Amino acid sequence: MTEILALDGLVKRFGSRTILDGISLNVSAGEIVCFVGPSGTGKSTLLRCINGLEDIQGGRISFEGQAVQGNPSAIRAVRKRVGMIFQHFNLYPHLTALQNVMLAPVVVHKEAKAEVEARARALFDKVRLAHRINAYPAEMSGGEQQRVAIARALCTNPHLLMFDEPTSALDPETVGDVLTVMRDLALEGRTMLVVTHEIRFAADVGTRMVFMDQCRIVEQGDPRAMVAGAQTERARKFLGTIHG
Amino acid sequence: MMQYWPLMLKSAGTTLWLSWLAMLLGALGGTALALLRQIRFAPLRWVVIGYMEFFRSIPILIVLFFAFYGVPLLLEVDISPFVAATLALALHASATMSEVVSAGIASVGRGQWEAAAAAGFSWPQTMRHIIAPQALRVILPPSVGVFITTLKESSLASIIGYIELTRTGLLVRDSTGGGFLPLLALGAVYFVINYAISQVGAALERRLHIGRRSDLVGAMA
Amino acid sequence: MGYSFTLRTIYPYFGDLWQSALNTLSLSLLAIVLSIALGALVALMRRSALRPVRLLGAAYVEVMRNTPLLVILYLVYFAAPEAGVRLSSFMAALVGLTLNSAGYMAEILRAGLIAVPPGQFEAAQSQGMSSAQVLRHVVFPQVFRTIYAPLGNQVIAVILASSLATAVALDEVASWMQTVGSSSFRFFETFVVAAVVYLVLCQSVNIARILIGRKLFPQGRRA
Ligand SMILES: Nc1ncnc2c1ncn2[C@@H]1O[C@H](COP(=O)(O)OP(=O)(O)OP(=O)(O)O)[C@@H](O)[C@H]1O
Ligand SMILES: [Mg+2]
């Protein structure tokens, strides 16, 4: 499998506080890597470093062979190929669902409107929101907004999708809709990084689980095997508490 | 220039007195208007809203001109610059204050009215004991802003010849042979007064928000 | 009452009124446009990474909001000649009004910028937008939504404040009322006429604001 993302000794500090302390990780095309771990261990920060929303203080990140550091145009080139889905959706409130999805392809990728619209409409079918296409974010439930956010990320044909706790701001009854869409994406063979507390989803869908604690990767491996019995004490304890 | 400072400070007192009086009258008038607006009688509401919109849509300066030059012709009475200025400032402040007070009353939820009615309070009793104390917290901070506005507007009294702070500044300028230093000093005096008042207002606001405890808000339950 | 309302005496002055109303209008419009530009600059200063720049921006706002416009007008009118610049009444009024209004515009714009959540910048950046694209397609429309109503209020405030230009000898509507009133002894009538002019100006702004607002911001777009 072709390697798509490589992290090598990544270090992230906020001021004098170290948040990520030497993270190394390689991700191949088609992998679904689920990140789990206690709050505040730097999972969100890790994703944000990968698309350059945070600068890094040490190590290397390369995406499809291109370094994600330094000059803004290189960072933007990477961002064009990486889709990000946020915990709080971050839909643009002044645009309809359809306009949200179409904005970046038209503005950033300079694609023809008609083409983008056809693709966007197909994506709304995929996320099962064809009927909400002209709604504004304020008129939609959290689950609907998050599915629009997924469509928005997909519409630029990204090579990698990053999800930061996509379901933890949702009402319990809408979590399922979002997870269903994510399962579909997994079946299509998309490459995904998913920070989540949904251990069952990670075990079912993930191809790899990465357990992080205190700024480091403590253990990684097959999700089902780790849920059944992790190697390290800390991972066992964490997966036990969150699962039971 | 130095010898004129006592004069400037004394006239700052005049400005404060004029603004304070106008603000007091404006607050009373504004409260009366806001209470009238509470009465469920449409024509009355329109009159109050018309009054507010009228005074918010014309400059205070023409009200001042009318009060000083027009009213004496109309009613054949003599009106001093002080009375004219107080009147014009108070009319304008009352329009703003009626909006501030209305917003304060509206900020108290329906539940309070219902709880009071359920407990057998009359309308005036509810207003006095339940609504007013809660509304006052919302009304006070913006009232400080209205006062600052009134204080700045009081400078217009100089145009009809009332000797307050601005007029004094202009007189000092004349008697020191022109120059803009006296005007800078004048601006500085206004700034210091208004800035001090705005800081008091900010402190008040912090105080009122920190004091927003649930036992105060939900006392009737 | 011995006073009877009649406009006949002041008919001859209506030509002057037209000229005065044009002065009021052009002064206000120019001051609004210029103070938005200056206010934007001050608002950006208040977000600068450099502390002295931030402080300067904050100080500007405080000074303008706590000093009477009349004093600022006198300062501009009397100080400019001493600095060797001869300003017409119109220019002095424009400069004073713009400086003063910019203090308020800066606060309006600052509040508009603060109201855009950080997540909006991040979402837009993560889609690969350049800074200019982020501002144009994501930030500006949201700022505009927030500042729309207060901006309308400020427009009205500037129109009303332009009446103070009479103090620096500009012929605008308030000074028309004063001069025509004192030469005809018809102050009630000139007051009514001046009030109508201002009412029409301000209420047009008000109604336009509401109608345009309804077009621009249908219910669902409220964040
Ligand atoms: N901009 C910032 N400035 C300073 N500290 C920050 C900043 N962003 C995050 N941190 C700190 O970095 C640490 C890691 O944060 P991060 O959000 O990556 O954790 P997380 O693993 O995603 O936790 P959670 O499960 O709660 O989302 C936290 O202690 C947080 O306080
Ligand atoms: Mg997180």
Side-chain angles (χ1 to χ4, degrees):
Chain A
M1 283 255 191
T2 52
E3 184 179 270
I4 195 167
L5 175 72
L7 308 181
D8 184 16
L10 175 62
V11 175
K12 170 70 196 170
R13 278 186 285 266
F14 283 116
S16 60
R17 255 187 82 203
T18 301
I19 305 298
L20 296 172
D21 188 9
I23 304 283
S24 296
L25 186 78
N26 296 293
V27 177
S28 302
E31 276 200 274
I32 293 158
V33 184
C34 294
F35 294 85
V36 297
S39 185
T41 48
K43 306 179 297 292
S44 300
T45 306
L46 179 63
L47 294 196
R48 295 163 57 83
C49 288
I50 291 171
N51 70 359
L53 283 178
E54 304 283 356
D55 56 351
I56 60 176
Q57 278 67 48
R60 271 182 54 82
I61 304 173
S62 76
F63 178 77
E64 297 185 323
Q66 189 164 25
V68 191
Q69 280 115 295
N71 87 58
S73 70
I75 292 180
R76 234 181 307 140
V78 170
R79 285 174 179 167
K80 287 183 189 178
R81 283 176 278 142
V82 177
M84 180 135 177
I85 288 96
F86 299 86
Q87 183 175 354
H88 296 285
F89 338 126
N90 296 353
L91 291 182
Y92 308 128
H94 58 295
L95 302 177
T96 63
L98 182 63
Q99 290 167 335
N100 260 279
V101 173
M102 290 178 59
L103 184 65
V106 171
V107 165
V108 179
H109 298 258
K110 313 275 187 235
E111 291 183 71
K113 257 201 171 135
E115 249 168 69
V116 174
E117 179 163 346
R119 196 163 73 233
R121 286 184 183 276
L123 284 169
F124 275 96
D125 287 334
K126 191 207 274 288
V127 299
R128 300 175 179 82
L129 280 177
H131 58 296
R132 301 293 276 149
I133 216 157
N134 290 318
Y136 284 96
E139 300 166 331
M140 291 188 276
S141 75
E144 290 175 332
Q145 289 188 58
Q146 193 61 298
R147 282 180 285 154
V148 174
I150 292 173
R152 178 173 72 173
L154 289 173
C155 203
T156 54
N157 297 317
H159 300 184
L160 172 69
L161 285 171
M162 303 200 294
F163 295 80
D164 189 3
E165 301 198 29
T167 58
S168 48
L170 300 181
D171 295 331
E173 65 266 28
T174 63
V175 168
D177 297 336
V178 173
L179 291 182
T180 306
V181 168
M182 290 173 65
R183 267 176 228 268
D184 293 347
L185 295 176
L187 290 175
E188 287 175 8
R190 300 253 179 195
T191 315
M192 295 162 50
L193 306 183
V194 185
V195 174
T196 185
H197 292 294
E198 303 279 341
I199 300 299
R200 185 190 311 234
F201 173 86
D204 287 356
V205 178
T207 58
R208 186 171 11 155
M209 182 178 275
V210 174
F211 174 72
M212 288 179 64
D213 193 11
Q214 295 176 354
C215 323
R216 289 169 195 269
I217 294 176
V218 174
E219 180 177 343
Q220 53 179 310
D222 176 64
R224 258 149 298 204
M226 277 180 69
V227 171
Q231 303 285 310
T232 57
E233 171 76 31
R234 269 192 279 172
R236 237 187 347 262
K237 223 169 166 181
F238 178 79
L239 291 170
T241 53
I242 201 163
H243 200 37
Chain B
M1 179 67 215
M2 284 318 287
Q3 78 209 70
Y4 292 104
W5 272 111
L7 199 63
M8 292 277 274
L9 293 182
K10 189 162 160 283
S11 59
T14 312
T15 279
L16 274 168
W17 164 237
L18 169 63
S19 324
W20 170 246
L21 191 63
M23 179 68 196
L24 199 66
L25 294 172
L28 289 174
T31 307
L33 287 168
L35 290 177
L36 280 178
R37 229 181 130 173
Q38 291 291 307
I39 298 170
R40 294 188 164 277
F41 179 57
L44 194 62
R45 274 242 290 286
W46 296 336
V47 169
V48 176
I49 291 173
Y51 176 93
M52 276 167 41
E53 282 298 327
F54 179 71
F55 279 103
R56 284 186 348 162
S57 302
I58 62 172
I60 186 163
L61 184 60
I62 71 169
V63 181
L64 188 65
F65 283 159
F66 179 62
F68 186 59
Y69 301 111
V71 172
L73 288 176
L74 207 58
L75 304 181
E76 286 160 15
V77 289
D78 259 344
I79 287 197
S80 71
F82 177 77
V83 172
T86 310
L87 204 67
L89 291 170
L91 283 172
H92 195 240
S94 71
T96 321
M97 280 308 290
S98 83
E99 195 152 283
V100 169
V101 174
S102 290
I105 294 173
S107 76
V108 182
R110 283 184 64 86
Q112 295 292 309
W113 287 96
E114 285 164 6
F121 282 77
S122 68
W123 191 91
Q125 285 170 334
T126 309
M127 202 36 122
R128 156 103 182 65
H129 296 283
I130 319 282
I131 307 301
Q134 298 182 62
L136 208 58
R137 307 154 73 86
V138 181
I139 291 168
L140 271 180
S143 304
V144 175
V146 177
F147 182 49
I148 292 177
T149 306
T150 304
L151 208 152
K152 288 190 290 180
E153 285 172 345
S154 75
S155 64
L156 299 193
S158 67
I159 297 180
I160 54 166
Y162 182 58
I163 302 183
E164 39 63 77
L165 185 51
T166 299
R167 181 95 263 168
T168 306
L170 291 172
L171 291 173
V172 169
R173 177 175 180 276
D174 286 345
S175 50
T176 53
F180 64 92
L181 269 180
L183 294 177
L184 265 185
L186 175 65
V189 175
Y190 273 111
F191 174 79
V192 168
I193 295 173
N194 284 326
Y195 189 72
I197 296 171
S198 75
Q199 291 312 103
V200 171
L204 194 70
E205 190 158 32
R206 280 195 296 276
R207 206 42 180 282
L208 291 178
H209 278 286
I210 290 165
R212 187 169 289 226
R213 297 187 313 245
S214 52
D215 58 334
L216 281 173
V217 174
M220 271 299 291
Chain C
M1 246 192 291
Y3 199 96
S4 64
F5 185 88
T6 166
L7 288 175
R8 190 165 307 142
T9 331
I10 61 169
Y11 274 152
Y13 301 99
F14 272 40
D16 297 345
L17 176 65
W18 176 246
Q19 199 49 50
S20 307
L22 283 182
N23 269 344
T24 291
L25 201 61
S26 52
L27 174 62
S28 307
L29 283 178
L30 282 171
I32 288 158
V33 172
L34 293 176
S35 68
I36 288 175
L38 182 56
L41 185 74
V42 175
L44 289 177
M45 282 172 72
R46 298 197 67 177
R47 282 169 81 94
S48 161
L50 302 170
R51 203 174 128 83
V53 176
R54 280 204 305 273
L55 285 178
L56 198 64
Y60 182 86
V61 168
E62 288 301 335
V63 167
M64 286 306 162
R65 292 202 306 181
N66 287 305
T67 314
L69 170 61
L70 186 60
V71 175
I72 294 168
L73 285 171
Y74 282 141
L75 258 171
V76 174
Y77 193 57
F78 291 126
E82 281 171 48
V85 193
R86 256 196 62 80
L87 289 184
S88 64
S89 288
F90 187 89
M91 282 308 289
L94 181 58
V95 171
L97 206 52
T98 299
L99 289 175
N100 196 219
S101 171
Y104 295 84
M105 289 294 188
E107 281 302 276
I108 292 171
L109 290 166
R110 191 170 79 106
L113 277 172
I114 288 174
V116 181
Q120 290 293 312
F121 291 85
E122 292 179 357
Q125 283 167 356
S126 80
Q127 292 202 288
M129 289 190 204
S130 66
S131 308
Q133 288 168 334
V134 174
L135 282 179
R136 155 125 168 57
H137 295 283
V138 177
V139 176
F140 180 73
Q142 296 184 51
V143 169
F144 187 67
R145 174 72 188 93
T146 328
I147 68 172
Y148 184 73
L151 199 61
N153 287 335
Q154 182 61 18
V155 167
I156 291 173
V158 169
I159 293 173
L160 297 181
S162 74
S163 64
L164 297 205
T166 190
V168 292
L170 181 71
D171 290 323
E172 43 65 69
V173 177
S175 70
W176 177 88
M177 170 192 170
Q178 215 268 350
T179 43
V180 175
S182 49
S183 54
S184 66
F185 291 100
R186 286 281 153 196
F187 264 106
F188 186 36
E189 288 80 353
T190 57
F191 169 69
V192 170
V193 170
V196 166
V197 172
Y198 283 111
L199 271 169
V200 167
L201 282 178
C202 294
Q203 289 303 322
S204 316
V205 172
N206 222 352
I207 291 165
R209 166 175 66 177
I210 292 167
L211 292 181
I212 296 171
R214 272 194 208 140
K215 269 263 179 327
L216 288 179
F217 313 113
Q219 214 56 29
R221 277 172 82 161
R222 309 220 167 120

